[in-house]
Amino acid sequence: MKLVLASQNPHKLEEMRAILAKLDVSVVLQSELGVSVEVEETGDTFAENARLKAEAVMRATGLPAVADDSGLCVDALCGAPGIYSARYGGKALDDKGRYLLLLENMAGSIDRRCRFVSAICCAFPNGDAVTAQGICEGTLAYAPQGTEGFGYDPVFFLPERKKTFAELTAEEKNEISHRGIALQKFKHQLENYLHGTDK
């Protein structure tokens, strides 16, 4: 079965392919099918936005489409940047600009508790959907550390590992990250769904 990833992000494609490798599923970017769907993320939650993206790409391609919506939620900022993580500070900022703005907005704050949240939705042409969510708890670093990963990884610190996400290998990150947890749950749910539809 072919799944279309409702994203232009090659990092997300690599993560999804790695975790779904043992299933009889191939994952392609929408751009590989000549489709470019920009979805207005009007949902109030990560789960709602993931469903909006998955359903839009499913309709555009006629194939099952899977979408992830994820972000960083900081307690001291009442959950911000949250669902606006990718747009934090406006379109002019890149990943580095966004996490530097976040550090600036957290200057002087002692409460550094935060979590990454990932919601996944796979929408099927018959109206079915498979969903999953993953959460990874951590703290906000005082300065960026590491060169791996993307997004807010350099400032998301794991106290038990004494490293940021950007200091982990891809394999280490996939085991414990919000998206890794959500994808493992999604893999299990998808396996059950495919097994059920094969009957």
Side-chain angles (χ1 to χ4, degrees), residues 72 74 77 80-81 84-109 112 140-144 151-152 155:
L72 182 64
V74 181
L77 298 177
Y84 304 106
S85 292
R87 307 184 292 281
Y88 192 56
K91 292 182 179 179
L93 295 182
D94 59 6
D95 284 353
K96 183 176 181 180
R98 280 187 283 275
Y99 70 64
L100 289 177
L101 174 63
L102 179 60
L103 292 180
E104 184 181 318
N105 289 339
M106 283 289 289
S109 177
R112 314 294 288 189
L140 193 69
Y142 287 90
Y152 295 91
V155 296

Side-chain angles (χ1 to χ4, degrees), residues 3-8 12 16 27-28 30 39 41 46-58 64-70 118-123 130-133 179 182-183 186:
L3 292 182
V4 185
L5 181 60
S7 173
Q8 308 294 348
K12 289 187 179 182
M16 190 158 293
V27 188
V28 297
Q30 53 177 313
V39 181
E41 297 179 17
F46 294 112
E48 288 175 11
N49 284 332
R51 184 178 285 268
L52 286 171
K53 290 187 279 189
E55 289 180 344
V57 172
M58 178 270 293
V66 61
D68 150 89
D69 195 56
S70 54
S118 172
I120 294 173
C121 177
C122 183
V130 173
T131 62
Q133 181 167 291
R179 191 172 296 111
L183 279 171
F186 172 68

